[in-house]
Amino acid sequence: MTHPPADRWRNAVRDLKPGLLALTLALGTAGGALFAYFQLPLAWMIGSMVFCTAAAMSGLPVHVPGGLRSAMIMILGIMLGSAFSPDILGRLGDWALSLTGLALYILTGGALGILFLRRVARYDPVTSFFTATPGGLNEMVIVGGAMGGDDRTISVAHSARVMLVVMVVPVWFQFFEGYSPATRGPLGPGLTEVPPVDLALLASCAVGALLGKWLRLPAYMLVGPMLLSAAIHLAGLTAGKPPGVMVGAAQIVVGAALGSRFSGVRLSRIAHTLAIASGLTLMLLAVTMVFSVALHWLTGIPLPALVLAFAPGGLAEMSLVALALGVDAAFVSTHHIVRIVLIVSLVPLVFRLYSHVTDRRLPKKGPGEPPPPPAGG
C-alpha cells in the first residue's frame, strides 16, 4: 500500500524526535571530540559510536532518524566518487583477481561462520546461516526473519560485527602499521575553499540516490551518488571534494546510528550477542588477513587496501575508514559494493542448498515433541 505524500511527511516528522536526536548528536559529537583530542584513529565516527553505544546499553533512548543518516550517506557517496580520478581507469585491470577472490572469501568466511555459530553458539540452522554471512546487514535481517530465523539475533549480531570491525581495524593500523592521525590533515577542504561551480556539481550528484533506487542498486543511497560523482570526476568536469566539516558530520551521524541500533535491546542479550559476535568477527578478520596476504603476494596491491576491501564491515563504515587512513577509497568501496552484490544475489541459491543439507542431517521431530529453543537462548 502506498502512502500519500502528507502521510509520508507526518511519518518523517514523527521519526525525527528532535529531543532524542539532539541528545544523540550531542553525545556523538562529545565522543568524537574526545577521541580526536587524544588523536585516536577515525576519531569522529568511533568516538560517536562508542558514546552512543554506551548510552543505548545504559537505557538512554538514543535515536538517529533514517532520513538524516541517508543524507549523510549521500555526502559520503559523493566523497567516495571524488576518489575516482581519470588515472584510475588504467588500474581497473589490476583489480580483476582481487574482485574474483571476493566470491571465494564470502563462501569461506560464511562456511566457517556457520560452523562456529552451530557448534559454539548453538544457534539454529537458519539463524546461523544469515548471521554468518559477511555482509548485507539489512538484507540478511529481512530475509533471515522471513525464512524462520531469529531476526533480532541476526540484527544485533550483524550490528556488533560492523561495530567491532570499525573499532579493531583502525586501531590495528595505528599501532601495527604506523598510521598517525596527526599526519593525515583535515577531513576535506574548508567550506569556503570549494568553488561554487564545483559545490553545485557535487550537490547535483545527490540525484543519484533516486536513480539508484529506480535501478534497484544495493545500498542505493550511497552507491547512486557515488556513481554520479565518479562519472563527473572521471570525465574531468571537477576535481572538487565535499567540505571537511560535512565529512566530519557524516562520521558523527554514521557512528551515532551504529550505536543507536542497540537501543531498546536488553543488556543481557547485548552482552551475550557481543560475546558471540566477537568470536565470529575475529574469525572473519583472520580469513580477511589470509586472503589479503595471498592477494598481495599475487597482485602486488598494497596490503592495507586489501585488508580494508575484504574486512567484514559495512560499505559506508569501511569507506570512511579508507578515507580517514588515506587508503585507496575507490578500490575499497568498489570491492565492498561487489561483495554486497554477490551476497544479495548468491544467498537465495546457497540457502536452498544449505537447507537441503541441514534438513537431511537434523533428526525428525516426533508428533508430540516441543519445538527447538530459540537462537541464542
Side-chain angles (χ1 to χ4, degrees):
M1 177 181 178
T2 58
H3 298 280
D7 287 345
R8 289 200 296 268
W9 175 253
R10 281 192 292 269
N11 290 337
V13 171
R14 278 198 298 269
D15 187 48
L16 188 59
K17 301 177 182 176
L20 296 183
L21 175 59
L23 170 66
T24 304
L25 294 182
L27 286 169
T29 303
L34 181 65
F35 277 48
Y37 176 78
F38 287 105
Q39 296 186 353
L40 296 174
L42 199 60
W44 293 101
M45 184 167 77
I46 295 182
S48 176
M49 180 181 67
V50 169
F51 270 45
C52 290
T53 299
M57 293 178 69
S58 66
L60 286 176
V62 287
H63 171 74
V64 174
L68 178 60
R69 183 181 184 275
S70 296
M72 294 299 150
I73 288 295
M74 285 192 289
I75 293 172
L76 176 58
I78 295 169
M79 181 70 181
L80 291 174
S82 69
F84 286 80
S85 55
D87 65 298
I88 209 171
L89 296 174
R91 295 189 285 129
L92 292 179
D94 299 336
W95 299 0
L97 187 57
S98 59
L99 286 170
T100 304
L102 275 175
L104 184 57
Y105 166 79
I106 292 169
L107 293 173
T108 303
L112 291 174
I114 291 171
L115 186 64
F116 172 81
L117 293 173
R118 293 287 290 138
R119 298 288 178 85
V120 177
R122 301 295 180 184
Y123 284 3
D124 65 81
V126 177
T127 302
S128 296
F129 180 88
F130 289 100
T131 301
T133 306
L137 187 155
N138 294 325
E139 294 82 3
M140 295 306 101
V141 173
I142 294 170
V143 178
M147 293 295 180
D150 186 337
D151 56 354
R152 178 57 70 92
T153 294
I154 298 170
S155 175
V156 174
H158 275 287
S159 298
R161 169 181 55 80
V162 174
M163 182 186 72
L164 291 167
V165 170
V166 168
M167 293 180 68
V168 169
V169 171
V171 172
W172 180 82
F173 270 87
Q174 180 167 351
F175 289 100
F176 298 101
E177 293 294 319
Y179 160 77
S180 175
T183 63
R184 287 302 316 150
L187 298 173
L191 194 58
T192 59
E193 295 175 5
V194 184
V197 173
D198 286 349
L199 202 57
L201 276 172
L202 293 172
S204 68
C205 294
V207 178
L210 298 176
L211 181 63
K213 184 177 182 180
W214 180 65
L215 294 173
R216 297 184 179 181
L217 297 175
Y220 64 87
M221 296 299 295
L222 185 144
V223 175
M226 188 191 80
L227 292 178
L228 279 188
S229 178
I232 65 173
H233 282 84
L234 288 172
L237 298 178
T238 179
K241 299 178 183 295
V245 65
M246 299 179 72
V247 178
Q251 290 193 22
I252 292 171
V253 171
V254 170
L258 267 175
S260 299
R261 283 179 176 156
F262 297 96
S263 184
V265 184
R266 294 193 314 272
L267 184 58
S268 59
R269 182 160 198 168
I270 293 176
H272 178 267
T273 306
L274 272 176
I276 298 300
S278 296
L280 176 63
T281 302
L282 288 174
M283 186 186 64
L284 289 174
L285 285 174
V287 176
T288 295
M289 288 304 301
V290 170
F291 273 79
S292 299
V293 170
L295 286 167
H296 171 66
W297 181 75
L298 289 172
T299 65
I301 295 172
L303 185 59
L306 286 164
V307 170
L308 290 181
F310 278 72
L315 166 60
E317 291 78 15
M318 288 299 96
S319 299
L320 271 175
V321 173
L323 288 171
L325 300 182
V327 176
D328 189 344
F331 178 84
V332 172
S333 58
T334 299
H335 280 68
H336 279 279
I337 291 169
V338 172
R339 175 174 59 89
I340 293 173
V341 170
L342 287 173
I343 287 174
V344 172
S345 57
L346 290 177
V347 155
L349 172 62
V350 176
F351 181 71
R352 281 197 293 269
L353 296 173
Y354 171 77
S355 298
H356 178 69
V357 172
T358 53
D359 284 346
R360 292 180 60 183
R361 289 182 177 178
L362 290 174
K364 299 301 179 182
K365 184 166 66 74
E369 295 180 27

